[in-house]
Amino acid sequence: MKINLLCGDRHLPPHIFSKLSTEPWGGIDRGTLILSEHSIVPVFSVGDFDSVNDEEREILKKTLNIHPVKAEKDDTDLALGVEQAIQKGYTEIDIYGATGGRLDHFMGTLQILFKSDYIKKEIIIKVIDKQNEIMLLNTGTHQLHKSDKYQYVSFIPVNGEVILSLSGFKYNLNHQHLEIGSTLTISNEVNRSMAIIEVEKGQVLQMRSRDLE
């Protein structure tokens, strides 16, 4: 099962609410208010709601029966939301509105992708905005379809040594050893209908991107 989580309204893909209005959504802090403004009732809402004013908070309490968590907590609002989604049985989670703001919050979002329990459960988590799509690829073989939406794709090694093979790309690789700090696999392109990625060792962040017009 798939769910979308909304953190805010920064850098959202165009027409996202009309395109995904029939899909389940979870509201993360102010994202709950934004969903409500677009007539989308979230499956659940999580947050301390410090990003809404008192009047907005009261509206949400009355219309959605939200229960704000304490501001002083061990996890971010988004981390709590991802955990709740998984507890509800969702295995594919797309996160929107989590980029374009504070970099510490963005790095915290990426940390969620590396959580070992989610990797063991094979939870697919994507961070998506109007220009990028980010996900973690674990050891194994992965397919990537050519997309007019995302012209470029990069692979970032994230732990120790990575061994990566690529076929169907503009720049293919054969058992390439990568280390953290390498920029060899930045800005590649798919040149077939479907490309193959083999992560033979380690993990990589796959980042699909496009230039803004």
Side-chain angles (χ1 to χ4, degrees):
M1 294 195 303
K2 175 179 174 291
I3 191 171
N4 306 303
L5 300 184
L6 184 69
C7 302
D9 55 3
R10 293 187 301 265
H11 298 286
L12 296 178
H15 313 297
I16 182 176
F17 298 114
S18 58
K19 289 179 179 178
L20 306 180
S21 61
T22 60
E23 295 188 5
W25 285 84
I28 309 300
D29 206 76
R30 187 173 183 81
T32 304
L33 179 66
I34 298 166
L35 289 173
S36 179
E37 292 173 344
H38 286 85
S39 301
I40 296 175
V41 179
V43 175
F44 64 84
S45 302
V46 175
D48 52 27
F49 296 95
D50 59 354
S51 60
V52 299
N53 60 40
D54 292 340
E55 181 180 354
E56 292 168 335
R57 189 180 296 106
E58 288 305 312
I59 292 174
L60 289 175
K61 284 182 178 179
K62 292 177 181 178
T63 58
L64 297 177
N65 193 30
I66 63 169
H67 300 284
V69 298
K70 293 181 179 179
E72 296 79 15
K73 54 190 181 298
D74 294 333
D75 287 303
T76 64
D77 292 337
L78 177 56
L80 294 174
V82 170
E83 180 62 27
Q84 189 165 152
I86 293 171
Q87 291 298 321
K88 290 182 177 294
Y90 294 100
T91 56
E92 187 174 348
I93 302 170
D94 288 354
I95 298 170
Y96 295 93
T99 66
R102 285 172 48 179
L103 289 179
D104 57 342
H105 285 175
F106 173 65
M107 294 303 293
T109 297
L110 293 185
Q111 287 296 306
I112 297 171
L113 275 60
F114 303 132
K115 192 167 182 177
S116 59
D117 186 46
Y118 300 164
I119 293 172
K120 291 176 183 177
K121 293 178 179 178
E122 298 184 342
I123 306 297
I124 300 172
I125 304 175
K126 296 179 183 177
V127 181
I128 303 171
D129 63 22
K130 64 182 178 182
Q131 194 173 5
N132 310 281
E133 178 187 279
I134 306 170
M135 65 182 297
L136 181 68
L137 298 185
N138 295 296
T139 302
T141 300
H142 309 270
Q143 297 178 344
L144 187 65
H145 291 275
K146 187 177 180 66
S147 170
D148 293 334
K149 183 178 179 181
Y150 298 113
Q151 179 180 356
Y152 306 106
V153 57
S154 298
F155 302 98
I156 314 296
V158 294
N159 57 355
E161 183 185 30
V162 170
I163 301 177
L164 184 68
S165 291
L166 302 175
S167 60
F169 289 85
K170 182 177 181 179
Y171 306 107
N172 290 322
L173 293 176
N174 187 28
H175 309 296
Q176 179 68 48
H177 289 245
L178 302 171
E179 295 181 351
I180 292 177
S182 170
T183 59
L184 175 66
T185 48
I186 299 296
S187 196
N188 206 337
E189 297 180 43
V190 176
N191 64 2
R192 295 182 186 173
S193 59
M194 185 179 70
I196 301 297
I197 305 150
E198 292 185 54
V199 185
E200 301 169 50
K201 182 179 179 181
Q203 298 168 306
V204 296
L205 279 176
Q206 174 186 285
M207 296 186 173
R208 306 196 74 176
S209 304
R210 67 185 182 95
D211 293 319
L212 292 179
E213 297 177 355

